[in-house]
């Protein structure tokens, strides 16, 4: 048995994900697959279009063998923390042979070169980075500029390589890939990395081509939200995903968007003190005052985003901060979780017959508890307790956005069991 690890959001599972899954199996020769998947809130600081059990079911119906939830504190955090949590979780399972991630580059060697520089932080690079940060740009921009300068002036890369590196650091999937490689290097994991070139649609593309069979998840969500129907997305997502989305829309549990939490977020901010906002993860340099001021001058999330974001603070960073406020995730939570070597448990969302075979192996190989029924889980320490409480809180808050009164009840984490695909 050779087991492939995937790090995913599946928001929703579409043909591009299916291509990635099949190509990953082909190039690694894996016989089984495990997807680490974000729960109800995602890395960009937004809610998933449909809940985690639906998305996990889409995945196993399309060929993923086992879906494990990435704890919320990692799922809606920075690229570094998201990647670190995901890699640590895969590594803790003790049975993963390979990881394969999609990238706009497809050049693993160059991604490794960049990852190594960011991991080792040579003095020359650190000096260049500090100089760019002092220019007042966002950290991601400063880091990108420093990478180019370092490979130009210190490593003396040729023009072709420099152009490739410049393209790499502009794209989100490349950046996540670099963070995966950094995390593997940091913990000295034996997991072997692979990357495949993303096919067709660009990550941020908002259009579904009439001729293409693959579209970005962004374009699919935009299409669904534009007329609150699945018209036009049938050719770019598997039929199984289409059926699950159709059912969830009919029962009033999707689509879910950030605007569904608009009043809750504004209420939390307006009732908070500067000190409370300052304690939210990623709030620095007096940003709490700007957030508090903007919360009293705006009456919609979009206005709030526009008011807070700046040259230094990106929209995605602001979205994550506001989701942390909504879910009551503070700086100490993130710091303590990161000190403690990543996720403290592996929570099963869905599996098939091959996934059942993996679960048998996990009984002896995993160094963390495997949770199939939350009612039976007893956190092994205070960190695990805090981590699972955030997951439960996230689902309880997420379910408030359901349109159907029947589904507004809380504690779904205790009610819904993992999906088994026969």
């Amino acid at each position: 048995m050779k087991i492939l690890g995937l790090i995913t959001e599946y928001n929703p599972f579409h043909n591009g994900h299916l291509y990635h899954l099949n190509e990953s199996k082909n190039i690694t020769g894996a016989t089984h697959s495990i997807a680490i998947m974000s729960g109800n809130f995602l890395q960009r600081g937004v809610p998933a279009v449909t809940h985690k059990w639906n998305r996990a079911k889409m995945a196993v119906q399309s060929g993923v063998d086992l879906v494990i939830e990435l704890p919320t504190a990692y799922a809606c955090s920075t690229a570094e923390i998201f990647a670190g949590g995901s890699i640590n979780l895969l590594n803790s399972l003790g049975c993963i042979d390979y990881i394969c991630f999609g990238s706009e580059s497809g050049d693993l060697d160059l991604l490794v070169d960049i990852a190594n520089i960011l991991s080792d932080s040579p003095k020359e690079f650190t000096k260049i980075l500090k100089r760019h940060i002092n220019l007042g740009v966002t950290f991601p921009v400063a880091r990108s500029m420093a990478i180019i300068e370092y490979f130009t002036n210190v490593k003396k890369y040729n023009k072709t390589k420099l152009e490739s590196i410049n393209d790499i650091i502009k794209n989100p999937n490349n950046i996540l890939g670099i963070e995966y490689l950094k995390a593997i290097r940091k913990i000295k994991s034996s997991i072997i990395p692979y990357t495949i070139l993303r096919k067709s649609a660009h990550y941020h593309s908002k259009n579904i081509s009439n001729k293409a069979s693959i579209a970005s998840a962004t374009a699919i969500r935009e299409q669904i939200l534009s007329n609150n129907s699945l018209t036009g997305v049938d050719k770019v997502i598997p039929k199984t995903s289409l059926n699950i989305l159709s059912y969830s829309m009919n029962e009033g549990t999707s689509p879910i968007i950030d605007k569904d939490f608009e009043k809750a977020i504004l209420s939390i901010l307006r009732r908070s003190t500067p000190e409370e906002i300052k304690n939210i993860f990623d709030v620095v340099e007096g940003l709490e005052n700007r957030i508090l001021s903007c919360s009293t001058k705006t009456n919609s999330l979009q206005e709030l985003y526009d008011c807070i974001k700046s040259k230094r603070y990106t929209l995605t960073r602001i979205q994550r901060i506001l989701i942390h406020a909504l879910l009551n995730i503070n700086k100490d939570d993130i710091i303590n979780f990161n000190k403690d070597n990543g996720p403290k448990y592996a929570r099963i969302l869905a599996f098939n017959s091959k996934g059942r075979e993996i679960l048998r192996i996990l009984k002896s190989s995993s160094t963390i508890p495997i949770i199939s029924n939350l009612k039976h889980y007893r956190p092994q320490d205070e960190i695990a307790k805090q981590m699972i409480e955030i997951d439960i809180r996230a689902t309880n808050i997420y379910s408030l956005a359901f349109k159907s009164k029947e589904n507004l009840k809380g504690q779904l984490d205790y009610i819904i069991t993992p999906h088994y695909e026969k």
Side-chain angles (χ1 to χ4, degrees):
M1 182 185 295
K2 294 291 183 181
I3 302 178
L4 165 71
L6 304 166
I7 300 172
T8 66
E9 290 190 321
Y10 294 153
N11 186 37
F13 190 99
H14 55 67
N15 288 349
H17 295 134
L18 184 60
Y19 169 80
H20 173 242
L21 171 63
N22 292 332
E23 283 297 298
S24 298
K25 289 178 179 177
N26 287 337
I27 66 171
T28 61
T31 58
H32 295 65
S33 59
I34 297 178
I36 303 300
M37 190 190 79
S38 301
N40 292 320
F41 292 90
L42 309 179
Q43 201 265 327
R44 292 180 300 108
V46 294
V49 70
T50 190
H51 63 65
K52 58 190 178 185
W53 294 283
N54 275 343
R55 290 167 22 248
K57 186 177 179 180
M58 291 177 191
V60 295
Q61 288 188 348
S62 293
V64 175
D65 299 318
L66 175 64
V67 181
I68 294 174
E69 180 178 2
L70 177 65
T72 305
Y74 297 95
C76 56
S77 197
T78 63
E80 183 175 24
I81 294 172
F82 174 91
S86 301
I87 293 297
N88 270 284
L89 180 46
L90 283 172
N91 196 63
S92 295
L93 298 178
C95 65
I96 306 298
D97 297 288
Y98 317 106
I99 176 178
C100 187
F101 55 89
S103 65
E104 291 91 351
S105 164
D107 189 331
L108 185 64
D109 290 339
L110 271 184
L111 293 171
V112 168
D113 283 349
I114 297 170
N116 289 347
I117 292 300
L118 296 179
S119 296
D120 298 338
S121 294
K123 286 182 181 179
E124 298 94 332
F125 176 76
T126 302
K127 191 184 298 182
I128 295 168
L129 178 60
K130 284 181 179 178
R131 175 159 45 80
H132 285 293
I133 289 173
N134 290 337
L135 295 175
V137 297
T138 64
F139 178 77
V141 171
R143 190 171 71 169
S144 295
M145 294 167 69
I147 288 169
I148 290 296
E149 185 173 334
Y150 181 82
F151 280 107
T152 302
N153 298 334
V154 179
K155 300 295 283 185
K156 307 291 185 184
Y157 275 17
N158 61 41
K159 183 179 178 182
T160 303
K161 269 194 173 185
L162 288 171
E163 287 174 352
S164 296
I165 289 173
N166 189 46
D167 288 338
I168 283 172
I169 58 181
K170 288 179 179 178
N171 291 296
N173 283 297
N174 290 335
I175 292 166
L176 269 177
I178 290 166
E179 294 297 342
Y180 298 146
L181 295 168
K182 279 174 59 185
I184 290 170
R185 182 182 175 92
K186 180 179 179 180
I187 63 174
K188 297 180 172 61
S189 174
S190 62
I191 297 173
I192 301 170
Y194 287 82
T195 189
I196 60 172
L197 188 66
R198 282 176 60 87
K199 187 176 180 181
S200 189
H202 187 271
Y203 177 85
H204 287 306
S205 172
K206 293 188 176 182
N207 298 311
I208 297 178
S209 167
N210 291 327
K211 297 179 180 179
S213 61
I214 290 178
S216 71
T218 301
I220 293 168
R221 292 192 299 273
E222 290 279 336
Q223 183 72 20
I224 293 171
L225 294 171
S226 65
N227 54 12
N228 199 35
S229 80
L230 297 172
T231 303
V233 303
D234 55 313
K235 63 180 181 294
V236 293
I237 65 175
K239 187 176 180 181
T240 49
S241 293
L242 193 71
N243 291 340
I244 291 168
L245 280 173
S246 177
Y247 179 82
S248 67
M249 290 174 75
N250 288 335
E251 71 168 2
T253 59
S254 68
I256 306 299
I257 59 173
D258 57 354
K259 190 174 174 61
D260 290 319
F261 304 97
E262 185 172 79
K263 289 185 178 179
I265 291 172
L266 285 168
S267 297
I268 289 166
L269 295 180
R270 289 185 182 186
R271 74 161 193 219
S272 298
T273 65
E275 192 60 32
E276 287 170 332
I277 296 176
K278 186 178 181 179
N279 197 39
I280 300 170
F281 179 69
D282 223 15
V283 174
V284 295
E285 300 170 339
L287 180 57
E288 68 273 11
N289 298 317
R290 186 183 184 96
I291 292 173
L292 190 57
S293 173
C294 287
S295 73
T296 61
K297 295 190 295 188
T298 59
N299 56 24
S300 74
L301 265 185
Q302 189 56 58
E303 288 178 1
L304 184 62
Y305 295 152
D306 292 341
C307 181
I308 301 172
K309 70 181 182 180
S310 66
K311 186 178 180 182
R312 184 177 286 273
Y313 305 114
T314 64
L315 173 60
T316 300
R317 182 174 178 177
I318 298 305
Q319 289 175 163
R320 281 198 294 263
I321 288 171
L322 297 183
I323 287 297
H324 286 164
L326 177 69
L327 303 181
N328 194 25
I329 301 174
N330 60 46
K331 289 178 181 176
D332 288 342
D333 291 328
I334 303 299
I335 290 168
N336 290 335
F337 296 163
N338 282 335
K339 278 182 182 176
D340 217 51
N341 301 320
K344 302 286 284 183
Y345 47 81
R347 184 152 179 226
I348 309 304
L349 295 179
F351 61 102
N352 58 21
S353 57
K354 280 190 173 183
R356 180 171 278 171
E357 293 172 4
I358 299 172
L359 288 172
R360 292 194 193 104
I361 292 173
L362 291 180
K363 288 180 181 179
S364 58
S365 70
S366 179
T367 59
I368 55 176
I370 307 299
I371 305 175
S372 56
N373 189 328
L374 194 57
K375 293 177 183 177
H376 301 149
Y377 174 60
R378 298 294 178 269
Q380 62 270 39
D381 56 34
E382 188 60 28
I383 295 294
K385 182 175 181 288
Q386 291 171 0
M387 198 176 290
I388 197 72
E389 283 175 350
I390 290 173
D391 290 347
I392 295 166
R393 188 188 312 149
T395 300
N396 288 343
I397 291 172
Y398 183 87
S399 64
L400 288 173
F402 294 162
K403 311 303 183 288
S404 164
K405 288 185 178 180
E406 289 179 16
N407 294 297
L408 285 175
K409 64 185 79 171
Q411 302 298 80
L412 293 181
D413 283 293
Y414 291 98
I415 297 169
I416 301 176
T417 56
H419 172 75
Y420 175 57
E421 186 67 24
K422 297 180 180 178

Short mmCIF file of all heavy atoms in Angstrom, two decimals, residues 10-56:
data_model
loop_
_atom_site.label_atom_id
_atom_site.label_comp_id
_atom_site.label_asym_id
_atom_site.label_seq_id
_atom_site.Cartn_x
_atom_site.Cartn_y
_atom_site.Cartn_z
N TYR A 10 -11.70 22.02 -1.40
CA TYR A 10 -12.85 21.48 -2.14
C TYR A 10 -14.09 22.36 -1.97
O TYR A 10 -15.13 21.92 -1.48
CB TYR A 10 -13.15 20.04 -1.71
CG TYR A 10 -12.06 19.05 -2.06
CD1 TYR A 10 -11.88 17.89 -1.29
CD2 TYR A 10 -11.23 19.24 -3.15
CE1 TYR A 10 -10.89 16.96 -1.61
CE2 TYR A 10 -10.23 18.33 -3.48
CZ TYR A 10 -10.07 17.19 -2.70
OH TYR A 10 -9.09 16.28 -3.01
N ASN A 11 -13.97 23.58 -2.45
CA ASN A 11 -15.03 24.57 -2.19
C ASN A 11 -15.68 25.11 -3.47
O ASN A 11 -15.49 26.28 -3.80
CB ASN A 11 -14.44 25.73 -1.37
CG ASN A 11 -15.49 26.72 -0.94
OD1 ASN A 11 -16.61 26.35 -0.59
ND2 ASN A 11 -15.15 27.99 -0.95
N PRO A 12 -16.44 24.27 -4.21
CA PRO A 12 -16.74 22.85 -3.99
C PRO A 12 -15.77 21.97 -4.80
O PRO A 12 -14.93 22.49 -5.53
CB PRO A 12 -18.15 22.73 -4.53
CG PRO A 12 -18.15 23.69 -5.71
CD PRO A 12 -17.28 24.85 -5.28
N PHE A 13 -15.93 20.65 -4.68
CA PHE A 13 -15.12 19.71 -5.45
C PHE A 13 -15.52 19.82 -6.92
O PHE A 13 -16.68 19.62 -7.28
CB PHE A 13 -15.35 18.28 -4.95
CG PHE A 13 -14.37 17.28 -5.53
CD1 PHE A 13 -13.27 16.87 -4.81
CD2 PHE A 13 -14.56 16.75 -6.81
CE1 PHE A 13 -12.35 15.96 -5.35
CE2 PHE A 13 -13.66 15.85 -7.35
CZ PHE A 13 -12.56 15.45 -6.61
N HIS A 14 -14.54 20.14 -7.80
CA HIS A 14 -14.86 20.35 -9.22
C HIS A 14 -13.92 19.52 -10.10
O HIS A 14 -13.08 18.76 -9.59
CB HIS A 14 -14.80 21.84 -9.58
CG HIS A 14 -13.50 22.52 -9.24
ND1 HIS A 14 -12.31 22.23 -9.86
CD2 HIS A 14 -13.21 23.50 -8.33
CE1 HIS A 14 -11.35 22.99 -9.39
NE2 HIS A 14 -11.86 23.77 -8.44
N ASN A 15 -14.06 19.67 -11.41
CA ASN A 15 -13.28 18.85 -12.34
C ASN A 15 -11.77 19.08 -12.23
O ASN A 15 -10.98 18.18 -12.51
CB ASN A 15 -13.73 19.13 -13.79
CG ASN A 15 -15.10 18.54 -14.08
OD1 ASN A 15 -15.64 17.76 -13.29
ND2 ASN A 15 -15.69 18.91 -15.20
N GLY A 16 -11.37 20.29 -11.85
CA GLY A 16 -9.96 20.55 -11.64
C GLY A 16 -9.41 19.73 -10.48
O GLY A 16 -8.29 19.22 -10.54
N HIS A 17 -10.21 19.59 -9.44
CA HIS A 17 -9.81 18.75 -8.31
C HIS A 17 -9.74 17.28 -8.72
O HIS A 17 -8.83 16.55 -8.29
CB HIS A 17 -10.82 18.90 -7.16
CG HIS A 17 -10.85 20.27 -6.56
ND1 HIS A 17 -12.03 20.94 -6.30
CD2 HIS A 17 -9.85 21.11 -6.17
CE1 HIS A 17 -11.76 22.12 -5.78
NE2 HIS A 17 -10.44 22.24 -5.70
N LEU A 18 -10.68 16.87 -9.55
CA LEU A 18 -10.68 15.49 -10.04
C LEU A 18 -9.43 15.21 -10.88
O LEU A 18 -8.78 14.15 -10.73
CB LEU A 18 -11.95 15.22 -10.86
CG LEU A 18 -12.15 13.80 -11.36
CD1 LEU A 18 -12.23 12.81 -10.21
CD2 LEU A 18 -13.42 13.71 -12.22
N TYR A 19 -9.07 16.17 -11.72
CA TYR A 19 -7.85 16.05 -12.52
C TYR A 19 -6.62 15.95 -11.61
O TYR A 19 -5.75 15.10 -11.81
CB TYR A 19 -7.74 17.26 -13.45
CG TYR A 19 -6.39 17.38 -14.14
CD1 TYR A 19 -6.11 16.62 -15.27
CD2 TYR A 19 -5.41 18.25 -13.66
CE1 TYR A 19 -4.87 16.72 -15.90
CE2 TYR A 19 -4.18 18.36 -14.27
CZ TYR A 19 -3.91 17.60 -15.40
OH TYR A 19 -2.68 17.70 -16.01
N HIS A 20 -6.57 16.81 -10.62
CA HIS A 20 -5.44 16.81 -9.69
C HIS A 20 -5.34 15.48 -8.94
O HIS A 20 -4.25 14.92 -8.78
CB HIS A 20 -5.58 17.96 -8.69
CG HIS A 20 -4.56 17.95 -7.60
ND1 HIS A 20 -4.89 17.82 -6.27
CD2 HIS A 20 -3.21 18.02 -7.64
CE1 HIS A 20 -3.78 17.82 -5.54
NE2 HIS A 20 -2.76 17.95 -6.34
N LEU A 21 -6.47 14.97 -8.49
CA LEU A 21 -6.49 13.69 -7.77
C LEU A 21 -5.95 12.56 -8.66
O LEU A 21 -5.07 11.80 -8.24
CB LEU A 21 -7.92 13.38 -7.33
CG LEU A 21 -8.18 11.98 -6.74
CD1 LEU A 21 -7.39 11.78 -5.46
CD2 LEU A 21 -9.68 11.78 -6.50
N ASN A 22 -6.47 12.47 -9.86
CA ASN A 22 -6.07 11.38 -10.76
C ASN A 22 -4.62 11.50 -11.20
O ASN A 22 -3.88 10.49 -11.25
CB ASN A 22 -7.00 11.32 -11.98
CG ASN A 22 -8.41 10.89 -11.60
OD1 ASN A 22 -8.61 10.16 -10.62
ND2 ASN A 22 -9.39 11.33 -12.37
N GLU A 23 -4.18 12.71 -11.53
CA GLU A 23 -2.78 12.92 -11.92
C GLU A 23 -1.82 12.64 -10.76
O GLU A 23 -0.74 12.08 -10.95
CB GLU A 23 -2.58 14.36 -12.42
CG GLU A 23 -3.10 14.61 -13.82
CD GLU A 23 -2.36 13.76 -14.86
OE1 GLU A 23 -1.14 13.94 -15.00
OE2 GLU A 23 -3.02 12.92 -15.50
N SER A 24 -2.23 13.01 -9.57
CA SER A 24 -1.40 12.77 -8.38
C SER A 24 -1.21 11.28 -8.14
O SER A 24 -0.11 10.82 -7.82
CB SER A 24 -2.04 13.42 -7.15
OG SER A 24 -2.12 14.83 -7.29
N LYS A 25 -2.27 10.53 -8.32
CA LYS A 25 -2.17 9.07 -8.19
C LYS A 25 -1.24 8.50 -9.26
O LYS A 25 -0.44 7.60 -8.98
CB LYS A 25 -3.56 8.43 -8.30
CG LYS A 25 -4.48 8.67 -7.11
CD LYS A 25 -5.84 8.03 -7.38
CE LYS A 25 -6.80 8.21 -6.22
NZ LYS A 25 -8.15 7.64 -6.50
N ASN A 26 -1.37 9.03 -10.46
CA ASN A 26 -0.55 8.52 -11.57
C ASN A 26 0.94 8.77 -11.36
O ASN A 26 1.76 7.87 -11.55
CB ASN A 26 -1.00 9.17 -12.89
CG ASN A 26 -2.33 8.64 -13.37
OD1 ASN A 26 -2.75 7.54 -13.00
ND2 ASN A 26 -3.02 9.42 -14.19
N ILE A 27 1.30 9.98 -10.99
CA ILE A 27 2.73 10.30 -10.92
C ILE A 27 3.40 9.72 -9.67
O ILE A 27 4.61 9.49 -9.66
CB ILE A 27 3.01 11.81 -11.01
CG1 ILE A 27 2.46 12.57 -9.81
CG2 ILE A 27 2.47 12.39 -12.30
CD1 ILE A 27 2.90 14.02 -9.77
N THR A 28 2.62 9.46 -8.63
CA THR A 28 3.20 8.89 -7.41
C THR A 28 3.08 7.37 -7.37
O THR A 28 3.80 6.71 -6.62
CB THR A 28 2.52 9.45 -6.15
OG1 THR A 28 1.12 9.11 -6.16
CG2 THR A 28 2.66 10.97 -6.08
N GLY A 29 2.15 6.81 -8.15
CA GLY A 29 1.89 5.37 -8.09
C GLY A 29 1.16 4.97 -6.82
O GLY A 29 1.17 3.79 -6.42
N ALA A 30 0.50 5.92 -6.17
CA ALA A 30 -0.21 5.64 -4.92
C ALA A 30 -1.42 4.75 -5.17
O ALA A 30 -2.10 4.85 -6.19
CB ALA A 30 -0.64 6.94 -4.27
N THR A 31 -1.69 3.90 -4.20
CA THR A 31 -2.86 3.01 -4.26
C THR A 31 -4.01 3.55 -3.43
O THR A 31 -5.16 3.17 -3.63
CB THR A 31 -2.49 1.62 -3.73
OG1 THR A 31 -2.00 1.74 -2.38
CG2 THR A 31 -1.43 0.96 -4.61
N HIS A 32 -3.70 4.42 -2.46
CA HIS A 32 -4.71 4.97 -1.56
C HIS A 32 -4.47 6.47 -1.37
O HIS A 32 -3.35 6.94 -1.56
CB HIS A 32 -4.66 4.28 -0.19
CG HIS A 32 -5.02 2.82 -0.22
ND1 HIS A 32 -4.26 1.88 -0.88
CD2 HIS A 32 -6.06 2.15 0.35
CE1 HIS A 32 -4.81 0.68 -0.74
NE2 HIS A 32 -5.91 0.82 0.01
N SER A 33 -5.53 7.19 -0.98
CA SER A 33 -5.39 8.64 -0.83
C SER A 33 -6.10 9.16 0.42
O SER A 33 -7.17 8.67 0.79
CB SER A 33 -5.94 9.36 -2.06
OG SER A 33 -7.31 9.05 -2.26
N ILE A 34 -5.47 10.15 1.04
CA ILE A 34 -6.05 10.86 2.18
C ILE A 34 -6.05 12.34 1.86
O ILE A 34 -5.01 12.90 1.47
CB ILE A 34 -5.25 10.64 3.48
CG1 ILE A 34 -5.26 9.17 3.89
CG2 ILE A 34 -5.78 11.51 4.61
CD1 ILE A 34 -4.43 8.87 5.14
N ALA A 35 -7.20 13.00 2.01
CA ALA A 35 -7.27 14.45 1.83
C ALA A 35 -7.43 15.11 3.19
O ALA A 35 -8.33 14.76 3.96
CB ALA A 35 -8.44 14.83 0.93
N ILE A 36 -6.54 16.04 3.50
CA ILE A 36 -6.71 16.92 4.65
C ILE A 36 -7.51 18.11 4.14
O ILE A 36 -7.06 18.81 3.24
CB ILE A 36 -5.36 17.38 5.22
CG1 ILE A 36 -4.48 16.19 5.59
CG2 ILE A 36 -5.56 18.32 6.40
CD1 ILE A 36 -5.07 15.27 6.64
N MET A 37 -8.70 18.32 4.68
CA MET A 37 -9.61 19.32 4.13
C MET A 37 -10.04 20.32 5.19
O MET A 37 -10.36 19.95 6.32
CB MET A 37 -10.85 18.63 3.54
CG MET A 37 -11.75 19.55 2.73
SD MET A 37 -13.33 18.78 2.29
CE MET A 37 -14.23 18.99 3.84
N SER A 38 -10.07 21.60 4.80
CA SER A 38 -10.58 22.64 5.69
C SER A 38 -12.03 22.35 6.05
O SER A 38 -12.77 21.76 5.26
CB SER A 38 -10.50 24.01 5.01
OG SER A 38 -9.18 24.31 4.66
N GLY A 39 -12.43 22.83 7.23
CA GLY A 39 -13.80 22.63 7.67
C GLY A 39 -14.73 23.68 7.10
O GLY A 39 -14.76 23.93 5.90
N ASN A 40 -15.46 24.37 7.96
CA ASN A 40 -16.51 25.29 7.50
C ASN A 40 -16.01 26.70 7.20
O ASN A 40 -16.74 27.49 6.61
CB ASN A 40 -17.64 25.34 8.53
CG ASN A 40 -18.39 24.02 8.59
OD1 ASN A 40 -18.65 23.39 7.58
ND2 ASN A 40 -18.74 23.60 9.80
N PHE A 41 -14.78 27.02 7.62
CA PHE A 41 -14.19 28.32 7.30
C PHE A 41 -12.82 28.09 6.69
O PHE A 41 -12.09 27.18 7.09
CB PHE A 41 -14.10 29.20 8.56
CG PHE A 41 -15.45 29.62 9.08
CD1 PHE A 41 -16.13 28.83 10.01
CD2 PHE A 41 -16.05 30.78 8.62
CE1 PHE A 41 -17.38 29.21 10.47
CE2 PHE A 41 -17.30 31.16 9.08
CZ PHE A 41 -17.97 30.38 10.00
N LEU A 42 -12.47 28.94 5.71
CA LEU A 42 -11.35 28.64 4.82
C LEU A 42 -10.17 29.60 4.98
O LEU A 42 -10.25 30.61 5.67
CB LEU A 42 -11.85 28.65 3.37
CG LEU A 42 -13.10 27.80 3.11
CD1 LEU A 42 -13.51 27.91 1.65
CD2 LEU A 42 -12.87 26.35 3.50
N GLN A 43 -9.10 29.28 4.27
CA GLN A 43 -7.83 29.97 4.43
C GLN A 43 -7.89 31.46 4.05
O GLN A 43 -7.17 32.27 4.60
CB GLN A 43 -6.74 29.25 3.62
CG GLN A 43 -5.32 29.51 4.08
CD GLN A 43 -4.66 30.63 3.29
OE1 GLN A 43 -4.92 30.82 2.11
NE2 GLN A 43 -3.79 31.39 3.94
N ARG A 44 -8.78 31.81 3.15
CA ARG A 44 -8.90 33.22 2.74
C ARG A 44 -9.77 34.03 3.71
O ARG A 44 -10.06 35.20 3.47
CB ARG A 44 -9.49 33.32 1.33
CG ARG A 44 -8.58 32.80 0.23
CD ARG A 44 -9.22 32.93 -1.14
NE ARG A 44 -10.46 32.20 -1.24
CZ ARG A 44 -11.68 32.74 -1.29
NH1 ARG A 44 -11.82 34.05 -1.25
NH2 ARG A 44 -12.75 31.99 -1.40
N GLY A 45 -10.23 33.40 4.79
CA GLY A 45 -11.05 34.11 5.76
C GLY A 45 -12.49 34.25 5.34
O GLY A 45 -13.14 35.27 5.60
N VAL A 46 -13.02 33.23 4.68
CA VAL A 46 -14.42 33.21 4.25
C VAL A 46 -15.05 31.87 4.61
O VAL A 46 -14.34 30.87 4.79
CB VAL A 46 -14.56 33.45 2.73
CG1 VAL A 46 -14.10 34.85 2.35
CG2 VAL A 46 -13.80 32.39 1.94
N PRO A 47 -16.38 31.81 4.71
CA PRO A 47 -17.04 30.53 4.95
C PRO A 47 -17.06 29.69 3.68
O PRO A 47 -17.04 30.22 2.57
CB PRO A 47 -18.46 30.94 5.36
CG PRO A 47 -18.68 32.25 4.68
CD PRO A 47 -17.34 32.94 4.68
N ALA A 48 -17.10 28.38 3.85
CA ALA A 48 -17.23 27.47 2.70
C ALA A 48 -18.63 27.59 2.13
O ALA A 48 -19.60 27.84 2.85
CB ALA A 48 -16.96 26.04 3.14
N VAL A 49 -18.76 27.36 0.83
CA VAL A 49 -20.05 27.52 0.16
C VAL A 49 -21.07 26.49 0.65
O VAL A 49 -22.27 26.75 0.67
CB VAL A 49 -19.88 27.45 -1.38
CG1 VAL A 49 -19.51 26.03 -1.83
CG2 VAL A 49 -21.11 27.96 -2.10
N THR A 50 -20.59 25.32 1.07
CA THR A 50 -21.45 24.31 1.69
C THR A 50 -20.65 23.62 2.79
O THR A 50 -19.41 23.66 2.77
CB THR A 50 -21.99 23.31 0.66
OG1 THR A 50 -23.00 22.48 1.28
CG2 THR A 50 -20.89 22.42 0.09
N HIS A 51 -21.34 23.01 3.75
CA HIS A 51 -20.65 22.56 4.95
C HIS A 51 -19.67 21.41 4.69
O HIS A 51 -19.67 20.77 3.64
CB HIS A 51 -21.64 22.22 6.06
CG HIS A 51 -22.58 21.08 5.76
ND1 HIS A 51 -22.17 19.78 5.58
CD2 HIS A 51 -23.94 21.06 5.64
CE1 HIS A 51 -23.21 19.00 5.37
NE2 HIS A 51 -24.29 19.75 5.39
N LYS A 52 -18.83 21.16 5.67
CA LYS A 52 -17.69 20.26 5.52
C LYS A 52 -18.10 18.82 5.20
O LYS A 52 -17.40 18.13 4.45
CB LYS A 52 -16.82 20.29 6.77
CG LYS A 52 -17.53 19.93 8.07
CD LYS A 52 -16.65 20.24 9.28
CE LYS A 52 -17.34 19.93 10.59
NZ LYS A 52 -16.54 20.34 11.76
N TRP A 53 -19.22 18.35 5.73
CA TRP A 53 -19.62 16.97 5.45
C TRP A 53 -20.07 16.81 4.00
O TRP A 53 -19.80 15.79 3.38
CB TRP A 53 -20.74 16.53 6.40
CG TRP A 53 -20.29 16.47 7.82
CD1 TRP A 53 -19.55 15.48 8.41
CD2 TRP A 53 -20.53 17.45 8.84
NE1 TRP A 53 -19.32 15.77 9.73
CE2 TRP A 53 -19.90 16.98 10.03
CE3 TRP A 53 -21.21 18.67 8.88
CZ2 TRP A 53 -19.95 17.68 11.23
CZ3 TRP A 53 -21.24 19.37 10.07
CH2 TRP A 53 -20.62 18.88 11.23
N ASN A 54 -20.72 17.82 3.46
CA ASN A 54 -21.10 17.80 2.04
C ASN A 54 -19.86 17.75 1.15
O ASN A 54 -19.79 16.98 0.20
CB ASN A 54 -21.92 19.04 1.68
CG ASN A 54 -23.39 18.89 1.98
OD1 ASN A 54 -23.89 17.78 2.18
ND2 ASN A 54 -24.11 20.00 2.04
N ARG A 55 -18.88 18.59 1.47
CA ARG A 55 -17.69 18.67 0.63
C ARG A 55 -16.85 17.40 0.75
O ARG A 55 -16.24 16.95 -0.22
CB ARG A 55 -16.87 19.93 1.00
CG ARG A 55 -17.61 21.18 0.56
CD ARG A 55 -17.12 22.50 1.10
NE ARG A 55 -15.77 22.54 1.55
CZ ARG A 55 -15.44 22.70 2.84
NH1 ARG A 55 -16.38 22.80 3.78
NH2 ARG A 55 -14.17 22.75 3.17
N ALA A 56 -16.82 16.81 1.94
CA ALA A 56 -16.11 15.54 2.11
C ALA A 56 -16.80 14.42 1.34
O ALA A 56 -16.13 13.57 0.73
CB ALA A 56 -16.03 15.19 3.60
#
